[in-house]
Amino acid sequence: MRHQCELKELKIELVETGEHDLYYFDEAGFSLTPSVPYGWQPVGERIELPSSRSPQLNVLGFMRHDGTHLDPYVTQGTIDSSVVIACIDNFCQHLIRPTTLVIDNAPVHGSASFEAMIPVWEANNLFLWFLPPYSPELNLIELLWKQIKYRWMPIDAYDSLEALSQALDNILAAVGKQLHICFN
């Protein structure tokens, strides 16, 4: 509860002045194993979902605090510190005003190479606010990943890796435009 209040105060302090921005950062993986929390079918009918092993599509995302903007980076490789650093470096190049980035304590966010970049990012007006351990509920972008996996991803996206990639690209492009999340 304390950290939730701190985040709320941070938002009020930074964002409402219009001179600072607040983004949430996280990574998520998508594969050909469907994420379907529940389903129904008529009595006597059997509905099957395609499922197979596949390479994982990883998304690193920077989501504005109000969900109106998403800056996603999609990769098939392993997400290590160098990948995260490259994405944050790219994100820094497009900042309009000072920005605080809410980020979790994943091991790649605590490596020596990552920590060495923090002063460089701060010099470029990007400031990190680390969430307390084991508190994904405080990271609003987690709600976005949940919406994508459980509500917005069409069933036919699981037909092939190409279909999954295309559906994911379409969804990511629509976030904040045609697809919205209410954070109240």
Side-chain angles (χ1 to χ4, degrees), residues 21 44-45 87 92 107 113 116 124 135 166:
D21 217 338
E45 256 186 64
C87 289
C92 275
S113 58
N124 286 297
S135 56
Q166 185 62 55

Side-chain angles (χ1 to χ4, degrees), residues 30-34 50-56 158-161 164:
F30 297 84
S31 71
L32 291 180
T33 303
S51 177
S52 62
R53 290 188 166 262
S54 71
Q56 182 163 293
Y158 298 104
D159 289 343
S160 68
L161 188 60
L164 179 66

Side-chain angles (χ1 to χ4, degrees), residues 24-44:
Y24 289 81
F25 175 80
D26 194 35
E27 307 90 356
F30 297 84
S31 71
L32 291 180
T33 303
S35 297
V36 181
Y38 63 88
W40 67 271
Q41 71 244 358
V43 174

Side-chain angles (χ1 to χ4, degrees), residues 108-177:
V108 296
H109 306 156
S111 70
S113 58
F114 185 90
E115 290 181 358
M117 291 302 297
I118 293 173
V120 174
W121 295 327
E122 288 177 352
N124 286 297
N125 286 320
L126 181 70
F127 306 93
L128 303 184
W129 194 88
F130 285 92
L131 290 165
Y134 309 109
S135 56
E137 73 282 359
L138 297 178
N139 197 345
L140 293 184
I141 199 168
E142 293 282 0
L143 298 173
L144 173 67
W145 303 143
K146 184 177 179 182
Q147 282 290 107
I148 292 172
K149 289 181 177 186
Y150 298 125
R151 302 195 87 205
W152 295 341
M153 187 64 71
I155 295 298
D156 61 359
Y158 298 104
D159 289 343
S160 68
L161 188 60
E162 183 180 325
L164 179 66
S165 179
Q166 185 62 55
L168 185 57
D169 287 347
N170 291 343
I171 291 167
L172 294 173
V175 171
K177 299 168 185 79

Side-chain angles (χ1 to χ4, degrees), residues 6 10 35 45 63 67 72 89 96 101 106 166 170 174-175 182:
E6 287 177 15
L10 182 71
S35 297
E45 256 186 64
M63 184 183 73
D89 282 346
I96 297 169
L101 186 63
Q166 185 62 55
N170 291 343
V175 171
C182 180

